[in-house]
Amino acid sequence: MNVLYSAAASPPRYACDTDKNPVLKTYKFCDTSLDIITRVNDLVKRMTLQEKAGSLVSVADSIPRLGIPSYGWWSEALHGVSDTGPATWFNESVIPGATSFPQVILTAASFNESLFYAIGKVVSTEARAMYNVGVAGLTFWSPNVNIFRDPRWGRGQETPGEDPLLTSRYGATYVRGLQEREDGDKELLKVGACCKHYTAYDLDNWTSVDRYHFNAFVTKQDMEDTYNPPFKSCIIDGHVASVMCSYNQVNGIPTCADKVLLEDMVRGQWKLNGYISSDCDSLLVMFRSQNWAKTPEEVAADALHAGLDLNCGDSLKKFTANAVKQGLVNETIVDRAVTNNMATLMRLGFFDGHPRNQLYGNLGKTDVCTQANQELAREAARQGIVLLKNSVNSLPLVTNSIKSLAVIGPNANATKAMIGNYAGVPCKYTSPLKGLSDYVKTVYEEGCDIKCNSTVNFEKAKKVAADADAVVLVMGIDLSVAAEALDRTEIDLPGEQNLLVTEVAYAAKGPVIVVIMSGGGVDVEFAKCDPKISSILWVGLPGQEGGGALADVIFGRYNPGGRLPMNWYPRSYVDTVPMTNTNMRPNPTTGQPGQTYRFYRGKTIFQFGFGLSYTSYVHKLIKAPKVISIPLHQAHRCRSSNCNAIDATESACNDVFFDIEMTVTNSGKMGGSHTVLLFTSPPNMFNAPQKELVDFKKLWFEPGQRSMVRFRVNVCKQLSVVDEEGNRKVALGQYVLHVGDLKHFIDIKV
């Protein structure tokens, strides 16, 4: 067994142990008084070519003569510290588990940036504590900021949804939560985050197509306004330490060998301060599955030339030295990659001696799974839960009126299903059954398993429903239906789950609440239209405290305020849109209806941004301009000729803002959180989105409270659209701004 991944506790791994080896004090790279560039340059010039190659892989070689131990780069922290990456593990006697927050898709439904940040802070603290006791690394390959383009994608659960703005804001904010140090030092890192999978990665294994062989044909327009904005935001706004290139090809080129995507864009245009990693064994995939080059040395050289710094796998360790010797790549390119990797480790304090003498040296086992952290996990789930239907205000239930609650369904007693993929070992589980049982007396009947291929236990479920005062049916999917390497082919509830819901609802004498536990949308139109079903809740994959959060919502301790971060489609969607079609815009010639709420022109079950509450909110517009003029200089061509748009990069655009002010009033009798979503519908040119999120705010309202809400809109940044060549433009003409049921028209002119 590689000692790096030993199951027992061990001291943390770090370089420059000058107590053990005093000669290291004479090396500049161990001198913490020097700047990082000086230290890294000193280290790189001391390394042999093979030592450099050995530092370009996810299990980096030790260099004993320089006092550098082996280091495992691959750890994960998607929604809590995970043992998916082999550089992190759990052990009963050391760290038995870590706080498991809701899967990202549900956290994103909160539309609460302060929550995104708070979760990141907790996860990074637990990660540092685990590093100190020798069971974790310092680099975590999270978050996933791909666009959830298609509801069938098995990994959509990991993402913040289908909207580029929400995904960008989530990604940058979560990264800041992970990376920012409590002492405010902007150069150093608490842990190193990684935004993945760059780019246009949203298919794993669908029918006969898998991610290793998929070639995503992406237009310049779609790349600029849909696929790439979250990665750009991760780097520019979040200052992320790493970007991971994806398995798939984009327009015929593997992303990990695409210089335009990596060196020119990520490092050149967006100014990444960090390293670029491949997905695991991507170089091997390029060689064996994609037949990108004739030899593995050529693959290694192409990836390094493109800007790759680190290979998850061992290809660069095996083939880099020979690639240099064969003249395929210059050693200076290798030095660049080593420099980027080592600079990241230096920013993390890996070369600063024992971590006990550093800022986070006092963290340990007692800082993992604290009560406060677990309560935040419950709060995160509460904030994300979306109320989709609530006939005659059936919810919340009143505990005094419920003598017996029937809890039915394949996810009614879920534990592991609640945490989704890329999860570690949670501190504990609060299942839906446990959470509901903490409020009232319950009777449990599974009805069927998640695949629901048998109806043999339906009668038992109907019997307990008929005898109970109310029924909660917890349905949905789990990782056996949708996961990494497993895309769905249908978007119905599996098997006979629909029939179980319908028959139980018919038998029930009291209110029937259907709960959908899933990482993506499901066609539940049958339940939406069934008068016997009083309420529908979507709980995503709600994390270790999901059952408690669900119960808090059902019994009114918490007023639901989540909004869907993706469209929910009818089952016919899968017959209309092939997953391999990466074009976002509708195509009347082919019958393609467009993808995501921004472009889709077809029927939905529930739309992006939808979510009900136990109270009502009234929006009233107070202030907004009707005309915005962009002050072009007198010699500008649009002064003397008709223009339908101007470049968003025009200098005249730099300071064009306007303010929107409105009041929001909680007109009900229950306090709650409310998300104010500001959308725009731009002029109909450049095949622009029919509707697009511009900004959002999350606020708390007491009963009867009225608050002023203000949005400041940067015209050329937030209202710009993208033309067919991928250039940002400000379309001239009429825009419609939407907030709730309010509409306001603005003309933008020169």
Side-chain angles (χ1 to χ4, degrees), residues 519-536:
V522 179
D523 183 350
V524 291
E525 186 171 26
F526 79 98
K528 181 181 178 182
C529 298
D530 189 338
K532 287 286 290 179
I533 295 170
S534 53
S535 305
I536 304 173

Side-chain angles (χ1 to χ4, degrees), residues 241-290:
S242 177
V243 168
M244 176 184 287
C245 49
S246 53
Y247 287 117
N248 56 288
Q249 297 183 11
V250 172
N251 300 329
I253 304 174
T255 63
C256 293
D258 194 325
K259 183 177 181 295
V260 172
L261 287 177
L262 303 186
E263 187 64 28
D264 296 350
M265 191 167 292
V266 167
R267 201 172 297 284
Q269 292 182 35
W270 301 340
K271 309 298 182 188
L272 173 71
N273 179 17
Y275 67 99
I276 299 174
S277 171
S278 76
D279 207 335
C280 293
D281 290 323
S282 281
L283 272 62
L284 197 60
V285 168
M286 288 165 59
F287 179 61
R288 291 183 177 175
S289 301
Q290 298 174 353

Side-chain angles (χ1 to χ4, degrees), residues 84 134 187 202 207 209 300 350 365 481 513 618 632 684:
T84 302
E187 183 180 31
D202 47 27
T207 62
V209 184
F350 186 77
K365 183 175 182 178
V481 178
I513 299 101
V618 178
L632 301 180
N684 185 20

Side-chain angles (χ1 to χ4, degrees), residues 300-302 304-305 320 323-334:
D302 285 352
L304 288 166
H305 277 298
T320 295
V324 171
K325 292 171 184 176
Q326 293 172 20
L328 299 172
V329 63
N330 194 288
E331 190 169 352
T332 58
I333 301 295
V334 179

Side-chain angles (χ1 to χ4, degrees), residues 704-742:
Q705 180 181 342
R706 176 180 298 167
S707 294
M708 184 73 75
V709 178
R710 295 179 177 87
F711 290 102
R712 168 151 264 223
V713 179
N714 181 321
V715 170
C716 296
K717 181 178 180 181
Q718 293 175 274
L719 298 187
S720 61
V721 295
V722 177
D723 70 11
E724 291 80 358
E725 294 303 312
N727 301 308
R728 286 265 166 195
K729 301 284 187 179
V730 179
L732 302 178
Q734 188 177 78
Y735 290 71
V736 184
L737 299 180
H738 312 254
V739 178
D741 54 0
L742 290 179

Side-chain angles (χ1 to χ4, degrees), residues 128 132 180-183 190 355 358-363:
R128 270 286 179 173
N132 286 348
E180 288 182 352
R181 290 165 52 106
E182 278 71 6
D183 64 0
K190 187 177 181 182
Q358 300 178 41
L359 180 62
Y360 299 105
N362 63 334
L363 296 176

